[in-house]
Structures are given as structure tokens and as C-alpha cells.
Amino acid sequence: MAKYSKEDIFTLAKEENVKYIRLQFTDILGTIKNVEIPVSQLEKALDNKMMFDGSSIEGFVRIEESDMYLFPDLDTWVIFPWTAEKGKVARLICDIYNPDGTPFAGDPRNNLKRVLKEMEELGFTAFNVGPEPEFFLFRLDENGEPTLELNDNGGYFDLAPIDLGENCRRDIVLELEEMGFEIEASHHEVAPGQHEIDFKYADAVKACDDIQTFELVVKTIAHKHGLHATFMPKPLFGVNGSGMHCNLSLFKGNENVFFDPESDQQLSETARQFIAGTIKHAQSFTAVTNPLVNSYKRLVPGYEAPCYVAWSARNRSPLIRIPASRGLSTRVEVRSVDPSANPYLAMAALLSAGLDGIKNKLTPPAPIDRNIYVMSKEEREAHGIVDLPATLADALELLKSNEVITNALGEHILENFLEAKEIEWDMFRTQVHQWERDQYMKMY
């Protein structure tokens, strides 16, 4: 990760003919927001004197307490390569502060930093995250609106000409690499029109910054190809949905504390306790890691997404998988997360769940090395395997009752997240859908 001083940024802005700077931040629902300033205001921004109206942002503050400050993280400076034609545009990701100089409790990025401090108090120095976001590409119509028309009929690891998204995906990779991403793999996913691009893991805050930047780049470059990229978890019935598997590991200095060459499966006691905490709280953090009504259309049997709470080092049907790599690459892969999640909130919840297992020295259940999808309900119950929540409404109730995960969000974020999601569920619940008309209009 590049380290920048104020002087570095002034020099780069001048040398690269930067005309505008986007001061970016993320709201509670995970949407990227920004205040764009001309380069003449860069010094003011770098002195943390740039203000904005927080009352206009979902879940931030009331109108009578609206003034908020943007504190740019200098190490997030990047110039968007696709803006070169009309004077370049750069980006700085910001934390949100109150007028009295304290971190704003409703800022998801600040909130993750708060949880990371709790991790450091336990003696760990880094929480590393390797995300695997998936997305679909749909054609745009003549008005630039997304259609349901896919631009390929490819499948897992297919090539052109079957994978017609290959050129778009390649351009996305080139743009990301120019912005400093280390791309590890790029390929077609299982469903037609579905793609995955994997990039190198990073510490939790940078990984979340990278997820937000990645989604912005994917959407921007797709549009240039006449395509709409969506990170909606389940845009099409009858095919796989899009997940964002998260590979997690804890470090002390240069040591991966999940690795123990002398133990069973070379997993340390700390790793097992982290797994146990993740399993204990899985039902309750699902509202955060899978925050849309649509998320629960993906978490069903038959499409590779996990819907049962279990772990394994061998098979891919449980919630948690332990990839084969060991040493510094030893990690816990949580497979339920989807790319609609606010990454800062999702990582705060996952970390808090794992840390609770470590603090309380929890023991995980036995790993499940069978295909859970073909097990009967009675077999699952005999193994202590519970289901993930089936709807957003169920997930919200489980979230409310879990002190560890509610504390991971903090009072401000929790209150506003619940309010927004309960409105979303109620809108869905009271809507009349086409399926209902197809089923009932002629019958009754």
C-alpha cells in the first residue's frame, strides 16, 4: 500500500494535471457518496476543513446537527485512469468527523476502526481480508437502461467466444491494475453473464476500501462496453447468485496466528476458537452480511450458496470452508457474504463474532465433510446444523437479539440500519408481485 504525505499529493496532482478530487465516503447502506471539489480546494481538504451536510445522507444525522467534516485518508489517493480525456479526477476516501473533532459514530469506516482497536487490545496486530466479489453483466438498451438480456452464455471458466464478457473483464482488470490493485485471477463464473475478479488480500480497512473501489470501477468500465454490471445477489431465478466469499486471518506481526504446523489440520487453537465464534453468531450477523430482501433468494439449496451453519476443510456446502493453503495463507473462508453488503459493517460483524470465540475459548462443532445439501433435516439436526435465516425479516430479529453483533455495529448504526431494513422488508411484504398475478388471477 502506497504511503503519501500532503506534499506528495500536491506534487502528483500538479504533475498529472488533476482537475477535480472526489472526497468519498460510504453511508450506512453501503452506498458510495462523494463531495467533488476543484483542485484549488485540495489544500483545504487535506487540512480536514471540508464540510458537508450530513442530514442529507441515509442514516447519518438529523437536520439540526447536520455539519460534518471529511478527514481524507492520504494513503487512499488514486487517480481514475478513465478520466484522462477531460482533465483527470482523483479520489481520496474519507472518515467522517463531528464538528468537535471526534469520530462520527455513524460512519461505517470509523466503526470498523473501533472494532479493530478491540482486536488490538487482545494482542493481534492485523485482521486480513481477501474478498471474492461476483457480478453479472447485462446489456443496456437504447436509452442506457439495464435489460435482463445477458451478453454471453458462458459457464465456469469458459473462454471467448462463449464468454463475450471477456473483453470487458480484461479492461476492468487493466484499469484496476493501473490504480494499484494486485489482481490474482479473473474468470467467468457458473451462471451465464456472471463473472469474478479476485484481488490480493489486505488489512480490513484497506480491503473494504478496495471492495468499494472495485465495484465503482466494474460499473464504470462495464457501462463503456454498453453493459450494466450488477452486484445484486440474485438477479435471475434458476441460476447461481453472486456471492462475495471472504477469506479471513488474524496476525501478530508477521505471524499468521491461524497456522499451527503441529496441530490437527495445521489449524491453531486460535483459528478453531475464531471458527466457533463465527458459527455461534452466524444467524445473527446474516442481516449485515446479506442485507437485502433479494439476498435470501441466493441463500437456498441447489446453487452452491451456503444456507446451513457448519464448517469443513474439505467440502464447499457449509458456511465456512478452510482452503488448503497453509503457512501465512492459512485462512477461514466465510461463504455466505454477498456483494450487496456494506463491507465495513460486514467485516466489523465477522471480526466481532470471531473475537468472541477467542475471548471465551469456544470450541467449534465437529467439521461436516459430507454434502449438507443431500442430508435430510433429521440428519442435519443430529449433527447440530442449523439453517441461516430464510428472509430479511427473520435475519433482523436474530440480529436484534445478539449483543455481540449489535455492539459490533454500535448504537447509532444499529438503530438506523434496522429502521431502513424494516422499511425495505415492509415495502416488499406489501407489494403485489408478478408471481402472485400469474398464480392467482385466473384461478380465483
Side-chain angles (χ1 to χ4, degrees), residues 378-411:
E378 291 72 25
E379 286 179 295
R380 295 198 303 272
E381 289 176 350
H383 285 86
I385 300 170
V386 298
D387 296 2
L388 288 175
T391 68
L392 179 60
D394 294 341
L396 293 172
E397 291 305 312
L398 288 160
L399 168 61
K400 290 178 194 176
S401 63
N402 187 300
E403 188 175 351
V404 168
I405 307 304
T406 56
N407 287 342
L409 300 183
E411 185 177 348

PDB file of all heavy atoms in Angstrom, residues 378-411:
ATOM      1  N   GLU A 378     -33.502 -34.351   9.505  1.00  0.00           N
ATOM      2  CA  GLU A 378     -33.190 -35.125  10.709  1.00  0.00           C
ATOM      3  C   GLU A 378     -31.679 -35.347  10.840  1.00  0.00           C
ATOM      4  O   GLU A 378     -31.135 -35.249  11.954  1.00  0.00           O
ATOM      5  CB  GLU A 378     -33.912 -36.481  10.657  1.00  0.00           C
ATOM      6  CG  GLU A 378     -35.423 -36.414  10.800  1.00  0.00           C
ATOM      7  CD  GLU A 378     -36.124 -35.848   9.552  1.00  0.00           C
ATOM      8  OE1 GLU A 378     -35.540 -35.955   8.441  1.00  0.00           O
ATOM      9  OE2 GLU A 378     -37.237 -35.320   9.699  1.00  0.00           O
ATOM     10  N   GLU A 379     -31.014 -35.611   9.717  1.00  0.00           N
ATOM     11  CA  GLU A 379     -29.560 -35.783   9.762  1.00  0.00           C
ATOM     12  C   GLU A 379     -28.868 -34.489  10.162  1.00  0.00           C
ATOM     13  O   GLU A 379     -27.916 -34.500  10.944  1.00  0.00           O
ATOM     14  CB  GLU A 379     -29.046 -36.246   8.389  1.00  0.00           C
ATOM     15  CG  GLU A 379     -29.354 -37.689   8.041  1.00  0.00           C
ATOM     16  CD  GLU A 379     -28.819 -38.036   6.665  1.00  0.00           C
ATOM     17  OE1 GLU A 379     -29.292 -37.467   5.658  1.00  0.00           O
ATOM     18  OE2 GLU A 379     -27.910 -38.890   6.595  1.00  0.00           O
ATOM     19  N   ARG A 380     -29.349 -33.370   9.607  1.00  0.00           N
ATOM     20  CA  ARG A 380     -28.742 -32.085   9.964  1.00  0.00           C
ATOM     21  C   ARG A 380     -28.925 -31.806  11.453  1.00  0.00           C
ATOM     22  O   ARG A 380     -27.992 -31.363  12.139  1.00  0.00           O
ATOM     23  CB  ARG A 380     -29.338 -30.952   9.127  1.00  0.00           C
ATOM     24  CG  ARG A 380     -29.038 -31.061   7.639  1.00  0.00           C
ATOM     25  CD  ARG A 380     -29.256 -29.743   6.911  1.00  0.00           C
ATOM     26  NE  ARG A 380     -30.598 -29.209   7.070  1.00  0.00           N
ATOM     27  CZ  ARG A 380     -31.629 -29.500   6.287  1.00  0.00           C
ATOM     28  NH1 ARG A 380     -31.462 -30.357   5.283  1.00  0.00           N
ATOM     29  NH2 ARG A 380     -32.817 -28.958   6.484  1.00  0.00           N
ATOM     30  N   GLU A 381     -30.131 -32.048  11.962  1.00  0.00           N
ATOM     31  CA  GLU A 381     -30.393 -31.817  13.384  1.00  0.00           C
ATOM     32  C   GLU A 381     -29.509 -32.707  14.254  1.00  0.00           C
ATOM     33  O   GLU A 381     -29.022 -32.274  15.300  1.00  0.00           O
ATOM     34  CB  GLU A 381     -31.869 -32.054  13.690  1.00  0.00           C
ATOM     35  CG  GLU A 381     -32.786 -30.968  13.125  1.00  0.00           C
ATOM     36  CD  GLU A 381     -34.256 -31.269  13.342  1.00  0.00           C
ATOM     37  OE1 GLU A 381     -34.582 -32.411  13.759  1.00  0.00           O
ATOM     38  OE2 GLU A 381     -35.087 -30.366  13.082  1.00  0.00           O
ATOM     39  N   ALA A 382     -29.297 -33.940  13.817  1.00  0.00           N
ATOM     40  CA  ALA A 382     -28.448 -34.868  14.579  1.00  0.00           C
ATOM     41  C   ALA A 382     -27.004 -34.368  14.663  1.00  0.00           C
ATOM     42  O   ALA A 382     -26.299 -34.649  15.643  1.00  0.00           O
ATOM     43  CB  ALA A 382     -28.483 -36.250  13.940  1.00  0.00           C
ATOM     44  N   HIS A 383     -26.577 -33.628  13.645  1.00  0.00           N
ATOM     45  CA  HIS A 383     -25.220 -33.060  13.627  1.00  0.00           C
ATOM     46  C   HIS A 383     -25.182 -31.646  14.205  1.00  0.00           C
ATOM     47  O   HIS A 383     -24.126 -31.000  14.178  1.00  0.00           O
ATOM     48  CB  HIS A 383     -24.667 -33.042  12.201  1.00  0.00           C
ATOM     49  CG  HIS A 383     -24.236 -34.383  11.701  1.00  0.00           C
ATOM     50  ND1 HIS A 383     -25.115 -35.271  11.104  1.00  0.00           N
ATOM     51  CD2 HIS A 383     -23.025 -35.003  11.710  1.00  0.00           C
ATOM     52  CE1 HIS A 383     -24.457 -36.367  10.749  1.00  0.00           C
ATOM     53  NE2 HIS A 383     -23.197 -36.236  11.117  1.00  0.00           N
ATOM     54  N   GLY A 384     -26.311 -31.147  14.694  1.00  0.00           N
ATOM     55  CA  GLY A 384     -26.345 -29.798  15.271  1.00  0.00           C
ATOM     56  C   GLY A 384     -26.254 -28.692  14.242  1.00  0.00           C
ATOM     57  O   GLY A 384     -25.841 -27.568  14.565  1.00  0.00           O
ATOM     58  N   ILE A 385     -26.637 -28.994  13.009  1.00  0.00           N
ATOM     59  CA  ILE A 385     -26.547 -27.993  11.934  1.00  0.00           C
ATOM     60  C   ILE A 385     -27.847 -27.194  11.879  1.00  0.00           C
ATOM     61  O   ILE A 385     -28.921 -27.753  11.684  1.00  0.00           O
ATOM     62  CB  ILE A 385     -26.298 -28.675  10.569  1.00  0.00           C
ATOM     63  CG1 ILE A 385     -24.985 -29.472  10.608  1.00  0.00           C
ATOM     64  CG2 ILE A 385     -26.260 -27.648   9.446  1.00  0.00           C
ATOM     65  CD1 ILE A 385     -24.787 -30.362   9.387  1.00  0.00           C
ATOM     66  N   VAL A 386     -27.738 -25.875  12.052  1.00  0.00           N
ATOM     67  CA  VAL A 386     -28.916 -25.015  11.962  1.00  0.00           C
ATOM     68  C   VAL A 386     -28.911 -24.278  10.625  1.00  0.00           C
ATOM     69  O   VAL A 386     -27.887 -24.179   9.951  1.00  0.00           O
ATOM     70  CB  VAL A 386     -28.972 -24.001  13.128  1.00  0.00           C
ATOM     71  CG1 VAL A 386     -29.074 -24.727  14.467  1.00  0.00           C
ATOM     72  CG2 VAL A 386     -27.758 -23.070  13.107  1.00  0.00           C
ATOM     73  N   ASP A 387     -30.083 -23.754  10.248  1.00  0.00           N
ATOM     74  CA  ASP A 387     -30.223 -23.023   8.988  1.00  0.00           C
ATOM     75  C   ASP A 387     -29.894 -21.545   9.182  1.00  0.00           C
ATOM     76  O   ASP A 387     -30.137 -20.980  10.251  1.00  0.00           O
ATOM     77  CB  ASP A 387     -31.665 -23.118   8.472  1.00  0.00           C
ATOM     78  CG  ASP A 387     -32.078 -24.535   8.116  1.00  0.00           C
ATOM     79  OD1 ASP A 387     -31.265 -25.463   8.297  1.00  0.00           O
ATOM     80  OD2 ASP A 387     -33.220 -24.701   7.671  1.00  0.00           O
ATOM     81  N   LEU A 388     -29.372 -20.931   8.142  1.00  0.00           N
ATOM     82  CA  LEU A 388     -29.319 -19.472   8.108  1.00  0.00           C
ATOM     83  C   LEU A 388     -30.748 -18.938   7.991  1.00  0.00           C
ATOM     84  O   LEU A 388     -31.647 -19.654   7.526  1.00  0.00           O
ATOM     85  CB  LEU A 388     -28.478 -18.995   6.919  1.00  0.00           C
ATOM     86  CG  LEU A 388     -26.970 -19.206   7.021  1.00  0.00           C
ATOM     87  CD1 LEU A 388     -26.291 -18.795   5.726  1.00  0.00           C
ATOM     88  CD2 LEU A 388     -26.372 -18.452   8.198  1.00  0.00           C
ATOM     89  N   PRO A 389     -30.997 -17.698   8.410  1.00  0.00           N
ATOM     90  CA  PRO A 389     -32.355 -17.161   8.285  1.00  0.00           C
ATOM     91  C   PRO A 389     -32.841 -17.194   6.844  1.00  0.00           C
ATOM     92  O   PRO A 389     -32.060 -17.026   5.905  1.00  0.00           O
ATOM     93  CB  PRO A 389     -32.220 -15.726   8.810  1.00  0.00           C
ATOM     94  CG  PRO A 389     -30.764 -15.446   8.885  1.00  0.00           C
ATOM     95  CD  PRO A 389     -30.073 -16.745   9.039  1.00  0.00           C
ATOM     96  N   ALA A 390     -34.157 -17.413   6.682  1.00  0.00           N
ATOM     97  CA  ALA A 390     -34.740 -17.594   5.348  1.00  0.00           C
ATOM     98  C   ALA A 390     -35.185 -16.294   4.715  1.00  0.00           C
ATOM     99  O   ALA A 390     -35.392 -16.237   3.499  1.00  0.00           O
ATOM    100  CB  ALA A 390     -35.918 -18.561   5.429  1.00  0.00           C
ATOM    101  N   THR A 391     -35.377 -15.248   5.517  1.00  0.00           N
ATOM    102  CA  THR A 391     -35.820 -13.951   4.986  1.00  0.00           C
ATOM    103  C   THR A 391     -35.094 -12.841   5.716  1.00  0.00           C
ATOM    104  O   THR A 391     -34.536 -13.029   6.809  1.00  0.00           O
ATOM    105  CB  THR A 391     -37.339 -13.737   5.190  1.00  0.00           C
ATOM    106  OG1 THR A 391     -37.601 -13.593   6.598  1.00  0.00           O
ATOM    107  CG2 THR A 391     -38.152 -14.890   4.617  1.00  0.00           C
ATOM    108  N   LEU A 392     -35.141 -11.655   5.125  1.00  0.00           N
ATOM    109  CA  LEU A 392     -34.561 -10.489   5.787  1.00  0.00           C
ATOM    110  C   LEU A 392     -35.249 -10.218   7.114  1.00  0.00           C
ATOM    111  O   LEU A 392     -34.589  -9.861   8.096  1.00  0.00           O
ATOM    112  CB  LEU A 392     -34.671  -9.260   4.867  1.00  0.00           C
ATOM    113  CG  LEU A 392     -34.129  -7.943   5.429  1.00  0.00           C
ATOM    114  CD1 LEU A 392     -32.642  -8.050   5.772  1.00  0.00           C
ATOM    115  CD2 LEU A 392     -34.367  -6.800   4.444  1.00  0.00           C
ATOM    116  N   ALA A 393     -36.551 -10.414   7.177  1.00  0.00           N
ATOM    117  CA  ALA A 393     -37.285 -10.191   8.430  1.00  0.00           C
ATOM    118  C   ALA A 393     -36.768 -11.104   9.531  1.00  0.00           C
ATOM    119  O   ALA A 393     -36.533 -10.661  10.671  1.00  0.00           O
ATOM    120  CB  ALA A 393     -38.780 -10.403   8.221  1.00  0.00           C
ATOM    121  N   ASP A 394     -36.577 -12.388   9.229  1.00  0.00           N
ATOM    122  CA  ASP A 394     -36.033 -13.335  10.209  1.00  0.00           C
ATOM    123  C   ASP A 394     -34.635 -12.900  10.645  1.00  0.00           C
ATOM    124  O   ASP A 394     -34.287 -12.965  11.830  1.00  0.00           O
ATOM    125  CB  ASP A 394     -35.954 -14.738   9.612  1.00  0.00           C
ATOM    126  CG  ASP A 394     -37.322 -15.333   9.313  1.00  0.00           C
ATOM    127  OD1 ASP A 394     -38.322 -14.837   9.877  1.00  0.00           O
ATOM    128  OD2 ASP A 394     -37.383 -16.284   8.514  1.00  0.00           O
ATOM    129  N   ALA A 395     -33.828 -12.485   9.683  1.00  0.00           N
ATOM    130  CA  ALA A 395     -32.441 -12.092   9.975  1.00  0.00           C
ATOM    131  C   ALA A 395     -32.389 -10.877  10.896  1.00  0.00           C
ATOM    132  O   ALA A 395     -31.550 -10.804  11.801  1.00  0.00           O
ATOM    133  CB  ALA A 395     -31.700 -11.811   8.670  1.00  0.00           C
ATOM    134  N   LEU A 396     -33.270  -9.924  10.679  1.00  0.00           N
ATOM    135  CA  LEU A 396     -33.292  -8.717  11.520  1.00  0.00           C
ATOM    136  C   LEU A 396     -33.653  -9.059  12.958  1.00  0.00           C
ATOM    137  O   LEU A 396     -33.075  -8.492  13.903  1.00  0.00           O
ATOM    138  CB  LEU A 396     -34.266  -7.690  10.945  1.00  0.00           C
ATOM    139  CG  LEU A 396     -33.874  -7.081   9.595  1.00  0.00           C
ATOM    140  CD1 LEU A 396     -35.010  -6.218   9.046  1.00  0.00           C
ATOM    141  CD2 LEU A 396     -32.589  -6.267   9.703  1.00  0.00           C
ATOM    142  N   GLU A 397     -34.586  -9.973  13.155  1.00  0.00           N
ATOM    143  CA  GLU A 397     -34.953 -10.375  14.518  1.00  0.00           C
ATOM    144  C   GLU A 397     -33.777 -11.068  15.213  1.00  0.00           C
ATOM    145  O   GLU A 397     -33.529 -10.836  16.406  1.00  0.00           O
ATOM    146  CB  GLU A 397     -36.176 -11.297  14.488  1.00  0.00           C
ATOM    147  CG  GLU A 397     -37.467 -10.602  14.085  1.00  0.00           C
ATOM    148  CD  GLU A 397     -37.783  -9.395  14.966  1.00  0.00           C
ATOM    149  OE1 GLU A 397     -37.713  -9.530  16.208  1.00  0.00           O
ATOM    150  OE2 GLU A 397     -38.075  -8.316  14.416  1.00  0.00           O
ATOM    151  N   LEU A 398     -33.048 -11.895  14.482  1.00  0.00           N
ATOM    152  CA  LEU A 398     -31.886 -12.569  15.056  1.00  0.00           C
ATOM    153  C   LEU A 398     -30.773 -11.573  15.373  1.00  0.00           C
ATOM    154  O   LEU A 398     -30.058 -11.723  16.375  1.00  0.00           O
ATOM    155  CB  LEU A 398     -31.380 -13.646  14.095  1.00  0.00           C
ATOM    156  CG  LEU A 398     -32.287 -14.877  13.987  1.00  0.00           C
ATOM    157  CD1 LEU A 398     -31.994 -15.652  12.707  1.00  0.00           C
ATOM    158  CD2 LEU A 398     -32.097 -15.778  15.206  1.00  0.00           C
ATOM    159  N   LEU A 399     -30.608 -10.559  14.538  1.00  0.00           N
ATOM    160  CA  LEU A 399     -29.624  -9.514  14.800  1.00  0.00           C
ATOM    161  C   LEU A 399     -29.949  -8.770  16.091  1.00  0.00           C
ATOM    162  O   LEU A 399     -29.083  -8.572  16.950  1.00  0.00           O
ATOM    163  CB  LEU A 399     -29.572  -8.539  13.618  1.00  0.00           C
ATOM    164  CG  LEU A 399     -28.804  -7.221  13.832  1.00  0.00           C
ATOM    165  CD1 LEU A 399     -27.327  -7.494  14.145  1.00  0.00           C
ATOM    166  CD2 LEU A 399     -28.932  -6.317  12.613  1.00  0.00           C
ATOM    167  N   LYS A 400     -31.205  -8.377  16.251  1.00  0.00           N
ATOM    168  CA  LYS A 400     -31.608  -7.586  17.422  1.00  0.00           C
ATOM    169  C   LYS A 400     -31.301  -8.298  18.736  1.00  0.00           C
ATOM    170  O   LYS A 400     -31.013  -7.649  19.742  1.00  0.00           O
ATOM    171  CB  LYS A 400     -33.115  -7.310  17.366  1.00  0.00           C
ATOM    172  CG  LYS A 400     -33.550  -6.348  16.293  1.00  0.00           C
ATOM    173  CD  LYS A 400     -35.074  -6.229  16.350  1.00  0.00           C
ATOM    174  CE  LYS A 400     -35.651  -5.569  15.129  1.00  0.00           C
ATOM    175  NZ  LYS A 400     -37.125  -5.548  15.162  1.00  0.00           N
ATOM    176  N   SER A 401     -31.365  -9.616  18.732  1.00  0.00           N
ATOM    177  CA  SER A 401     -31.236 -10.373  19.973  1.00  0.00           C
ATOM    178  C   SER A 401     -29.795 -10.765  20.303  1.00  0.00           C
ATOM    179  O   SER A 401     -29.547 -11.458  21.294  1.00  0.00           O
ATOM    180  CB  SER A 401     -32.085 -11.651  19.897  1.00  0.00           C
ATOM    181  OG  SER A 401     -31.602 -12.503  18.862  1.00  0.00           O
ATOM    182  N   ASN A 402     -28.829 -10.311  19.500  1.00  0.00           N
ATOM    183  CA  ASN A 402     -27.447 -10.744  19.681  1.00  0.00           C
ATOM    184  C   ASN A 402     -26.579  -9.565  20.113  1.00  0.00           C
ATOM    185  O   ASN A 402     -26.289  -8.663  19.328  1.00  0.00           O
ATOM    186  CB  ASN A 402     -26.912 -11.357  18.382  1.00  0.00           C
ATOM    187  CG  ASN A 402     -25.533 -11.968  18.559  1.00  0.00           C
ATOM    188  OD1 ASN A 402     -24.579 -11.299  18.913  1.00  0.00           O
ATOM    189  ND2 ASN A 402     -25.434 -13.267  18.299  1.00  0.00           N
ATOM    190  N   GLU A 403     -26.138  -9.586  21.348  1.00  0.00           N
ATOM    191  CA  GLU A 403     -25.392  -8.456  21.904  1.00  0.00           C
ATOM    192  C   GLU A 403     -24.039  -8.261  21.241  1.00  0.00           C
ATOM    193  O   GLU A 403     -23.594  -7.128  21.040  1.00  0.00           O
ATOM    194  CB  GLU A 403     -25.211  -8.663  23.416  1.00  0.00           C
ATOM    195  CG  GLU A 403     -24.609  -7.467  24.127  1.00  0.00           C
ATOM    196  CD  GLU A 403     -24.546  -7.654  25.637  1.00  0.00           C
ATOM    197  OE1 GLU A 403     -25.127  -8.642  26.144  1.00  0.00           O
ATOM    198  OE2 GLU A 403     -23.909  -6.817  26.303  1.00  0.00           O
ATOM    199  N   VAL A 404     -23.370  -9.343  20.886  1.00  0.00           N
ATOM    200  CA  VAL A 404     -22.045  -9.231  20.267  1.00  0.00           C
ATOM    201  C   VAL A 404     -22.129  -8.506  18.928  1.00  0.00           C
ATOM    202  O   VAL A 404     -21.335  -7.594  18.641  1.00  0.00           O
ATOM    203  CB  VAL A 404     -21.401 -10.629  20.092  1.00  0.00           C
ATOM    204  CG1 VAL A 404     -20.165 -10.563  19.187  1.00  0.00           C
ATOM    205  CG2 VAL A 404     -21.032 -11.205  21.451  1.00  0.00           C
ATOM    206  N   ILE A 405     -23.104  -8.868  18.087  1.00  0.00           N
ATOM    207  CA  ILE A 405     -23.194  -8.261  16.756  1.00  0.00           C
ATOM    208  C   ILE A 405     -23.784  -6.848  16.836  1.00  0.00           C
ATOM    209  O   ILE A 405     -23.356  -5.960  16.094  1.00  0.00           O
ATOM    210  CB  ILE A 405     -24.009  -9.157  15.797  1.00  0.00           C
ATOM    211  CG1 ILE A 405     -23.440 -10.583  15.778  1.00  0.00           C
ATOM    212  CG2 ILE A 405     -23.982  -8.582  14.388  1.00  0.00           C
ATOM    213  CD1 ILE A 405     -21.962 -10.675  15.421  1.00  0.00           C
ATOM    214  N   THR A 406     -24.732  -6.624  17.719  1.00  0.00           N
ATOM    215  CA  THR A 406     -25.255  -5.250  17.862  1.00  0.00           C
ATOM    216  C   THR A 406     -24.153  -4.322  18.369  1.00  0.00           C
ATOM    217  O   THR A 406     -24.047  -3.181  17.919  1.00  0.00           O
ATOM    218  CB  THR A 406     -26.479  -5.204  18.787  1.00  0.00           C
ATOM    219  OG1 THR A 406     -26.152  -5.769  20.055  1.00  0.00           O
ATOM    220  CG2 THR A 406     -27.656  -5.953  18.181  1.00  0.00           C
ATOM    221  N   ASN A 407     -23.307  -4.810  19.277  1.00  0.00           N
ATOM    222  CA  ASN A 407     -22.183  -3.991  19.738  1.00  0.00           C
ATOM    223  C   ASN A 407     -21.183  -3.738  18.621  1.00  0.00           C
ATOM    224  O   ASN A 407     -20.526  -2.693  18.585  1.00  0.00           O
ATOM    225  CB  ASN A 407     -21.474  -4.666  20.918  1.00  0.00           C
ATOM    226  CG  ASN A 407     -22.279  -4.599  22.203  1.00  0.00           C
ATOM    227  OD1 ASN A 407     -23.205  -3.791  22.327  1.00  0.00           O
ATOM    228  ND2 ASN A 407     -21.942  -5.446  23.160  1.00  0.00           N
ATOM    229  N   ALA A 408     -21.058  -4.692  17.697  1.00  0.00           N
ATOM    230  CA  ALA A 408     -20.141  -4.526  16.566  1.00  0.00           C
ATOM    231  C   ALA A 408     -20.570  -3.376  15.667  1.00  0.00           C
ATOM    232  O   ALA A 408     -19.740  -2.733  15.013  1.00  0.00           O
ATOM    233  CB  ALA A 408     -20.054  -5.818  15.755  1.00  0.00           C
ATOM    234  N   LEU A 409     -21.868  -3.112  15.605  1.00  0.00           N
ATOM    235  CA  LEU A 409     -22.375  -2.015  14.777  1.00  0.00           C
ATOM    236  C   LEU A 409     -22.407  -0.696  15.537  1.00  0.00           C
ATOM    237  O   LEU A 409     -22.314   0.376  14.932  1.00  0.00           O
ATOM    238  CB  LEU A 409     -23.785  -2.342  14.274  1.00  0.00           C
ATOM    239  CG  LEU A 409     -23.931  -3.601  13.417  1.00  0.00           C
ATOM    240  CD1 LEU A 409     -25.372  -3.736  12.929  1.00  0.00           C
ATOM    241  CD2 LEU A 409     -22.970  -3.595  12.241  1.00  0.00           C
ATOM    242  N   GLY A 410     -22.560  -0.767  16.852  1.00  0.00           N
ATOM    243  CA  GLY A 410     -22.709   0.459  17.632  1.00  0.00           C
ATOM    244  C   GLY A 410     -24.147   0.946  17.594  1.00  0.00           C
ATOM    245  O   GLY A 410     -24.899   0.663  16.657  1.00  0.00           O
ATOM    246  N   GLU A 411     -24.527   1.694  18.604  1.00  0.00           N
ATOM    247  CA  GLU A 411     -25.928   2.082  18.777  1.00  0.00           C
ATOM    248  C   GLU A 411     -26.465   2.897  17.607  1.00  0.00           C
ATOM    249  O   GLU A 411     -27.565   2.660  17.122  1.00  0.00           O
ATOM    250  CB  GLU A 411     -26.076   2.871  20.078  1.00  0.00           C
ATOM    251  CG  GLU A 411     -27.517   3.217  20.430  1.00  0.00           C
ATOM    252  CD  GLU A 411     -27.633   3.941  21.760  1.00  0.00           C
ATOM    253  OE1 GLU A 411     -26.636   3.979  22.501  1.00  0.00           O
ATOM    254  OE2 GLU A 411     -28.716   4.485  22.050  1.00  0.00           O
TER     255      GLU A 411
END
